[in-house]
Amino acid sequence: MNCINKKKENIILAFLMLSVFFINIRHLGQIGIFTVLDDEFGYWSVAAFLHGLDWSSIVSQISYYSYGYSILLAPLFWIFDNPYIMYKAALIMNGIMSSASFWLCYDTSRKIMNETHKYILLGISFLIAMYPTYVATSSIAWCESLLILVCWLLTWCFSSLNEKSSTGRFVLVGVLTVYIYMVHQRSIGILIASVSVILIMKAFNKINWKQFWLFTIPFIILIL
């Protein structure tokens, strides 16, 4: 019976993940150019720079935009020759990130609310993924979907972080804590919160020195 219930849960989870993906890319056929200025130019110009292109005549007239999201956009310059297709590929990436955020939301809720029926958690997680702002911003090739994903990744990591956690999880938290700041400087609050939690956990001996340094070393390297 448990195997059957697990199979049903996985089928529903897969269906909802696909639903989130397709809802977020539903306007794909109607969109093919930048629609939000200057934001999109800012992120794509850094990606172009990483590809060896010079868009300085454009970006010299706008504010600086960070490079965390641009790192994901840069490979599109190598894969595609058509900028129209490149833009659509970026929107598909947004759809994938939104779907992954839904899964992380659900898996996190299972950890912290394990006595709640899984179908209720699936429904709540789906409603969170359908938050209008999340859906609207996924149709724009800027960093919002990535910020949501990294925030959920950190939440997922912290929800079960303790002395028994794998070494890789502490390294991942250290990397993600700085990376989300690389994506957008307004996430400085998340960076401060992550560091604070690690310091508090160490102060109360919830983690050991090895785990503390597994977080701290990649954090310092990326900050520098």
Side-chain angles (χ1 to χ4, degrees):
M1 183 65 69
N2 287 335
C3 291
I4 295 175
N5 290 337
K6 184 64 177 177
K7 185 177 180 180
K8 287 175 62 178
E9 177 193 347
N10 289 336
I11 290 173
I12 295 172
L13 178 61
F15 173 77
L16 291 177
M17 288 182 68
L18 286 172
S19 298
V20 172
F21 173 74
F22 284 113
I23 288 171
N24 278 277
I25 66 165
R26 69 196 186 285
H27 296 308
L28 188 65
Q30 305 166 27
I31 304 174
I33 58 172
F34 297 163
T35 55
V36 178
L37 307 177
D38 302 323
D39 299 58
E40 289 184 285
F41 268 116
Y43 297 119
W44 282 90
S45 65
V46 177
F49 172 78
L50 295 173
H51 184 63
L53 301 176
D54 183 7
W55 287 15
S56 58
S57 60
I58 298 173
V59 296
S60 61
Q61 305 301 316
I62 64 177
S63 301
Y64 168 71
Y65 288 83
S66 197
Y67 55 90
Y69 177 54
S70 304
I71 292 173
L72 298 186
L73 294 177
L76 299 180
F77 283 87
W78 279 277
I79 299 172
F80 304 106
D81 293 327
N82 188 330
Y84 185 72
I85 302 299
M86 286 170 56
Y87 192 86
K88 290 183 180 295
L91 299 185
I92 290 173
M93 284 200 307
N94 283 353
I96 293 172
M97 288 188 285
S98 297
S99 185
S101 296
F102 160 72
W103 181 86
L104 289 166
C105 176
Y106 171 63
D107 200 57
T108 301
S109 68
R110 286 199 310 170
K111 294 176 184 177
I112 62 178
M113 303 171 64
N114 55 12
E115 295 182 359
T116 305
H117 198 289
K118 291 183 175 62
Y119 294 161
I120 294 176
L121 297 179
L122 280 166
I124 293 173
S125 300
F126 182 75
L127 289 175
I128 291 172
M130 290 295 98
Y131 185 63
T133 300
Y134 293 179
V135 177
T137 56
S138 68
S139 295
I140 304 168
W142 58 359
C143 69
E144 303 305 313
S145 295
L146 178 57
L147 282 172
I148 295 166
L149 174 62
V150 180
C151 189
W152 274 115
L153 271 170
L154 279 168
T155 304
W156 179 79
C157 286
F158 274 116
S159 65
S160 58
L161 199 68
N162 54 50
E163 200 166 14
K164 297 180 180 179
S165 299
S166 65
T167 57
R169 180 159 299 202
F170 285 90
V171 174
L172 180 61
V173 171
V175 171
L176 291 174
T177 295
V178 183
Y179 180 66
I180 196 169
Y181 182 69
M182 292 178 180
V183 175
H184 203 293
Q185 282 73 46
R186 72 169 180 263
S187 59
I188 183 68
I190 297 175
L191 184 150
I192 294 171
S194 293
V195 173
S196 299
V197 170
I198 292 295
L199 291 174
I200 291 170
M201 291 182 76
K202 184 66 195 78
F204 285 90
N205 293 319
K206 299 296 184 181
I207 59 175
N208 57 45
W209 279 110
K210 177 184 176 182
Q211 294 167 327
F212 174 79
W213 288 112
L214 284 169
F215 164 85
T216 303
I217 291 173
F219 176 87
I220 292 174
I221 291 172
L222 289 179
I223 282 289
L224 292 175

PDB file of all heavy atoms in Angstrom, residues 4 9 17 34 39 43 62 67 78 112 117 126 129 135 171 180 193 206-207:
ATOM      1  N   ILE A   4       2.170   1.916  -3.448  1.00  0.00           N
ATOM      2  CA  ILE A   4       1.150   2.482  -4.330  1.00  0.00           C
ATOM      3  C   ILE A   4       0.962   3.971  -4.037  1.00  0.00           C
ATOM      4  O   ILE A   4       0.884   4.799  -4.948  1.00  0.00           O
ATOM      5  CB  ILE A   4      -0.189   1.722  -4.154  1.00  0.00           C
ATOM      6  CG1 ILE A   4      -0.023   0.273  -4.617  1.00  0.00           C
ATOM      7  CG2 ILE A   4      -1.306   2.418  -4.929  1.00  0.00           C
ATOM      8  CD1 ILE A   4      -1.239  -0.588  -4.367  1.00  0.00           C
ATOM      9  N   GLU A   9       1.856   9.632  -5.428  1.00  0.00           N
ATOM     10  CA  GLU A   9       2.448  10.919  -5.048  1.00  0.00           C
ATOM     11  C   GLU A   9       3.426  11.392  -6.112  1.00  0.00           C
ATOM     12  O   GLU A   9       3.416  12.577  -6.501  1.00  0.00           O
ATOM     13  CB  GLU A   9       3.173  10.783  -3.707  1.00  0.00           C
ATOM     14  CG  GLU A   9       3.882  12.050  -3.252  1.00  0.00           C
ATOM     15  CD  GLU A   9       4.832  11.808  -2.093  1.00  0.00           C
ATOM     16  OE1 GLU A   9       4.760  10.719  -1.479  1.00  0.00           O
ATOM     17  OE2 GLU A   9       5.646  12.704  -1.807  1.00  0.00           O
ATOM     18  N   MET A  17       4.720  19.533 -11.548  1.00  0.00           N
ATOM     19  CA  MET A  17       5.965  20.152 -12.011  1.00  0.00           C
ATOM     20  C   MET A  17       5.863  20.525 -13.483  1.00  0.00           C
ATOM     21  O   MET A  17       6.283  21.618 -13.888  1.00  0.00           O
ATOM     22  CB  MET A  17       7.146  19.203 -11.782  1.00  0.00           C
ATOM     23  CG  MET A  17       7.557  19.047 -10.331  1.00  0.00           C
ATOM     24  SD  MET A  17       8.996  17.971 -10.109  1.00  0.00           S
ATOM     25  CE  MET A  17      10.294  18.983 -10.862  1.00  0.00           C
ATOM     26  N   PHE A  34      13.610  41.805 -26.019  1.00  0.00           N
ATOM     27  CA  PHE A  34      13.620  42.441 -24.696  1.00  0.00           C
ATOM     28  C   PHE A  34      12.353  43.270 -24.513  1.00  0.00           C
ATOM     29  O   PHE A  34      11.930  43.985 -25.419  1.00  0.00           O
ATOM     30  CB  PHE A  34      14.828  43.363 -24.536  1.00  0.00           C
ATOM     31  CG  PHE A  34      16.155  42.653 -24.598  1.00  0.00           C
ATOM     32  CD1 PHE A  34      17.315  43.368 -24.822  1.00  0.00           C
ATOM     33  CD2 PHE A  34      16.259  41.290 -24.422  1.00  0.00           C
ATOM     34  CE1 PHE A  34      18.549  42.742 -24.869  1.00  0.00           C
ATOM     35  CE2 PHE A  34      17.472  40.650 -24.463  1.00  0.00           C
ATOM     36  CZ  PHE A  34      18.628  41.369 -24.693  1.00  0.00           C
ATOM     37  N   ASP A  39      16.795  46.675 -17.544  1.00  0.00           N
ATOM     38  CA  ASP A  39      17.194  45.480 -16.817  1.00  0.00           C
ATOM     39  C   ASP A  39      17.724  44.369 -17.725  1.00  0.00           C
ATOM     40  O   ASP A  39      18.819  43.829 -17.498  1.00  0.00           O
ATOM     41  CB  ASP A  39      16.020  44.950 -15.999  1.00  0.00           C
ATOM     42  CG  ASP A  39      15.524  45.946 -14.971  1.00  0.00           C
ATOM     43  OD1 ASP A  39      15.138  47.059 -15.381  1.00  0.00           O
ATOM     44  OD2 ASP A  39      15.517  45.617 -13.780  1.00  0.00           O
ATOM     45  N   TYR A  43      21.646  42.514 -17.958  1.00  0.00           N
ATOM     46  CA  TYR A  43      22.042  41.120 -17.744  1.00  0.00           C
ATOM     47  C   TYR A  43      22.630  40.493 -19.006  1.00  0.00           C
ATOM     48  O   TYR A  43      23.631  39.775 -18.953  1.00  0.00           O
ATOM     49  CB  TYR A  43      20.838  40.302 -17.275  1.00  0.00           C
ATOM     50  CG  TYR A  43      20.294  40.758 -15.942  1.00  0.00           C
ATOM     51  CD1 TYR A  43      18.986  41.222 -15.818  1.00  0.00           C
ATOM     52  CD2 TYR A  43      21.094  40.744 -14.801  1.00  0.00           C
ATOM     53  CE1 TYR A  43      18.483  41.654 -14.599  1.00  0.00           C
ATOM     54  CE2 TYR A  43      20.600  41.172 -13.581  1.00  0.00           C
ATOM     55  CZ  TYR A  43      19.294  41.631 -13.482  1.00  0.00           C
ATOM     56  OH  TYR A  43      18.808  42.056 -12.274  1.00  0.00           O
ATOM     57  N   ILE A  62      23.340  52.889 -19.047  1.00  0.00           N
ATOM     58  CA  ILE A  62      22.416  52.349 -18.045  1.00  0.00           C
ATOM     59  C   ILE A  62      23.182  51.979 -16.776  1.00  0.00           C
ATOM     60  O   ILE A  62      24.416  51.984 -16.751  1.00  0.00           O
ATOM     61  CB  ILE A  62      21.668  51.103 -18.575  1.00  0.00           C
ATOM     62  CG1 ILE A  62      22.647  49.952 -18.849  1.00  0.00           C
ATOM     63  CG2 ILE A  62      20.884  51.445 -19.821  1.00  0.00           C
ATOM     64  CD1 ILE A  62      21.975  48.671 -19.295  1.00  0.00           C
ATOM     65  N   TYR A  67      26.350  39.930 -12.332  1.00  0.00           N
ATOM     66  CA  TYR A  67      26.726  38.923 -13.324  1.00  0.00           C
ATOM     67  C   TYR A  67      26.293  37.498 -12.993  1.00  0.00           C
ATOM     68  O   TYR A  67      26.529  36.584 -13.779  1.00  0.00           O
ATOM     69  CB  TYR A  67      28.245  38.932 -13.492  1.00  0.00           C
ATOM     70  CG  TYR A  67      29.013  38.737 -12.201  1.00  0.00           C
ATOM     71  CD1 TYR A  67      29.365  37.475 -11.759  1.00  0.00           C
ATOM     72  CD2 TYR A  67      29.361  39.832 -11.412  1.00  0.00           C
ATOM     73  CE1 TYR A  67      30.052  37.297 -10.570  1.00  0.00           C
ATOM     74  CE2 TYR A  67      30.041  39.667 -10.220  1.00  0.00           C
ATOM     75  CZ  TYR A  67      30.392  38.401  -9.802  1.00  0.00           C
ATOM     76  OH  TYR A  67      31.056  38.226  -8.617  1.00  0.00           O
ATOM     77  N   TRP A  78      27.038  30.681 -27.252  1.00  0.00           N
ATOM     78  CA  TRP A  78      27.786  29.626 -27.932  1.00  0.00           C
ATOM     79  C   TRP A  78      26.854  28.618 -28.608  1.00  0.00           C
ATOM     80  O   TRP A  78      27.176  28.070 -29.655  1.00  0.00           O
ATOM     81  CB  TRP A  78      28.689  28.884 -26.940  1.00  0.00           C
ATOM     82  CG  TRP A  78      29.976  29.581 -26.650  1.00  0.00           C
ATOM     83  CD1 TRP A  78      31.129  29.544 -27.388  1.00  0.00           C
ATOM     84  CD2 TRP A  78      30.267  30.442 -25.545  1.00  0.00           C
ATOM     85  NE1 TRP A  78      32.103  30.328 -26.804  1.00  0.00           N
ATOM     86  CE2 TRP A  78      31.599  30.892 -25.672  1.00  0.00           C
ATOM     87  CE3 TRP A  78      29.515  30.879 -24.442  1.00  0.00           C
ATOM     88  CZ2 TRP A  78      32.210  31.734 -24.741  1.00  0.00           C
ATOM     89  CZ3 TRP A  78      30.109  31.726 -23.530  1.00  0.00           C
ATOM     90  CH2 TRP A  78      31.445  32.143 -23.681  1.00  0.00           C
ATOM     91  N   ILE A 112       9.579  19.749   7.244  1.00  0.00           N
ATOM     92  CA  ILE A 112       9.218  20.528   8.427  1.00  0.00           C
ATOM     93  C   ILE A 112       7.754  20.338   8.839  1.00  0.00           C
ATOM     94  O   ILE A 112       7.367  20.765   9.914  1.00  0.00           O
ATOM     95  CB  ILE A 112       9.504  22.032   8.202  1.00  0.00           C
ATOM     96  CG1 ILE A 112       8.666  22.590   7.052  1.00  0.00           C
ATOM     97  CG2 ILE A 112      10.977  22.253   7.941  1.00  0.00           C
ATOM     98  CD1 ILE A 112       8.864  24.070   6.806  1.00  0.00           C
ATOM     99  N   HIS A 117      -0.743  15.868   5.575  1.00  0.00           N
ATOM    100  CA  HIS A 117      -0.964  15.003   4.420  1.00  0.00           C
ATOM    101  C   HIS A 117      -0.201  15.547   3.208  1.00  0.00           C
ATOM    102  O   HIS A 117      -0.235  16.744   2.920  1.00  0.00           O
ATOM    103  CB  HIS A 117      -2.458  14.921   4.097  1.00  0.00           C
ATOM    104  CG  HIS A 117      -2.817  13.750   3.234  1.00  0.00           C
ATOM    105  ND1 HIS A 117      -2.473  13.671   1.902  1.00  0.00           N
ATOM    106  CD2 HIS A 117      -3.478  12.592   3.518  1.00  0.00           C
ATOM    107  CE1 HIS A 117      -2.912  12.539   1.388  1.00  0.00           C
ATOM    108  NE2 HIS A 117      -3.531  11.857   2.357  1.00  0.00           N
ATOM    109  N   PHE A 126       2.008  24.104  -4.840  1.00  0.00           N
ATOM    110  CA  PHE A 126       1.601  24.527  -6.190  1.00  0.00           C
ATOM    111  C   PHE A 126       1.051  25.951  -6.172  1.00  0.00           C
ATOM    112  O   PHE A 126       1.364  26.757  -7.055  1.00  0.00           O
ATOM    113  CB  PHE A 126       0.555  23.559  -6.747  1.00  0.00           C
ATOM    114  CG  PHE A 126       0.112  23.886  -8.139  1.00  0.00           C
ATOM    115  CD1 PHE A 126       0.933  23.609  -9.219  1.00  0.00           C
ATOM    116  CD2 PHE A 126      -1.128  24.476  -8.375  1.00  0.00           C
ATOM    117  CE1 PHE A 126       0.534  23.910 -10.516  1.00  0.00           C
ATOM    118  CE2 PHE A 126      -1.533  24.786  -9.662  1.00  0.00           C
ATOM    119  CZ  PHE A 126      -0.703  24.495 -10.738  1.00  0.00           C
ATOM    120  N   ALA A 129       3.878  28.304  -6.005  1.00  0.00           N
ATOM    121  CA  ALA A 129       4.540  28.413  -7.311  1.00  0.00           C
ATOM    122  C   ALA A 129       3.732  29.259  -8.285  1.00  0.00           C
ATOM    123  O   ALA A 129       4.288  29.840  -9.220  1.00  0.00           O
ATOM    124  CB  ALA A 129       4.772  27.018  -7.899  1.00  0.00           C
ATOM    125  N   VAL A 135       4.911  34.029 -11.735  1.00  0.00           N
ATOM    126  CA  VAL A 135       4.517  33.630 -13.088  1.00  0.00           C
ATOM    127  C   VAL A 135       4.781  34.757 -14.083  1.00  0.00           C
ATOM    128  O   VAL A 135       5.295  34.528 -15.181  1.00  0.00           O
ATOM    129  CB  VAL A 135       3.030  33.218 -13.114  1.00  0.00           C
ATOM    130  CG1 VAL A 135       2.603  32.867 -14.535  1.00  0.00           C
ATOM    131  CG2 VAL A 135       2.782  32.024 -12.185  1.00  0.00           C
ATOM    132  N   VAL A 171      29.247  22.977   1.875  1.00  0.00           N
ATOM    133  CA  VAL A 171      29.904  23.671   0.765  1.00  0.00           C
ATOM    134  C   VAL A 171      28.857  24.346  -0.112  1.00  0.00           C
ATOM    135  O   VAL A 171      29.026  25.503  -0.527  1.00  0.00           O
ATOM    136  CB  VAL A 171      30.750  22.685  -0.070  1.00  0.00           C
ATOM    137  CG1 VAL A 171      31.315  23.375  -1.308  1.00  0.00           C
ATOM    138  CG2 VAL A 171      31.881  22.105   0.760  1.00  0.00           C
ATOM    139  N   ILE A 180      23.809  34.017  -4.598  1.00  0.00           N
ATOM    140  CA  ILE A 180      22.560  34.770  -4.673  1.00  0.00           C
ATOM    141  C   ILE A 180      22.839  36.278  -4.607  1.00  0.00           C
ATOM    142  O   ILE A 180      22.123  37.080  -5.208  1.00  0.00           O
ATOM    143  CB  ILE A 180      21.578  34.324  -3.559  1.00  0.00           C
ATOM    144  CG1 ILE A 180      20.159  34.821  -3.882  1.00  0.00           C
ATOM    145  CG2 ILE A 180      22.013  34.826  -2.174  1.00  0.00           C
ATOM    146  CD1 ILE A 180      19.081  34.229  -3.007  1.00  0.00           C
ATOM    147  N   ALA A 193      21.560  36.674   6.658  1.00  0.00           N
ATOM    148  CA  ALA A 193      20.799  35.665   7.395  1.00  0.00           C
ATOM    149  C   ALA A 193      21.502  34.311   7.384  1.00  0.00           C
ATOM    150  O   ALA A 193      21.573  33.629   8.413  1.00  0.00           O
ATOM    151  CB  ALA A 193      19.398  35.535   6.808  1.00  0.00           C
ATOM    152  N   LYS A 206      25.718  23.062  17.255  1.00  0.00           N
ATOM    153  CA  LYS A 206      24.846  22.281  16.391  1.00  0.00           C
ATOM    154  C   LYS A 206      25.600  21.746  15.178  1.00  0.00           C
ATOM    155  O   LYS A 206      25.122  20.841  14.492  1.00  0.00           O
ATOM    156  CB  LYS A 206      23.663  23.135  15.920  1.00  0.00           C
ATOM    157  CG  LYS A 206      22.779  23.646  17.059  1.00  0.00           C
ATOM    158  CD  LYS A 206      22.100  22.492  17.789  1.00  0.00           C
ATOM    159  CE  LYS A 206      21.151  23.008  18.855  1.00  0.00           C
ATOM    160  NZ  LYS A 206      20.496  21.899  19.595  1.00  0.00           N
ATOM    161  N   ILE A 207      26.752  22.351  14.892  1.00  0.00           N
ATOM    162  CA  ILE A 207      27.648  21.867  13.842  1.00  0.00           C
ATOM    163  C   ILE A 207      29.070  21.878  14.401  1.00  0.00           C
ATOM    164  O   ILE A 207      29.359  22.580  15.378  1.00  0.00           O
ATOM    165  CB  ILE A 207      27.570  22.741  12.555  1.00  0.00           C
ATOM    166  CG1 ILE A 207      27.944  24.200  12.869  1.00  0.00           C
ATOM    167  CG2 ILE A 207      26.197  22.653  11.926  1.00  0.00           C
ATOM    168  CD1 ILE A 207      27.999  25.086  11.630  1.00  0.00           C
TER     169      ILE A 207
END
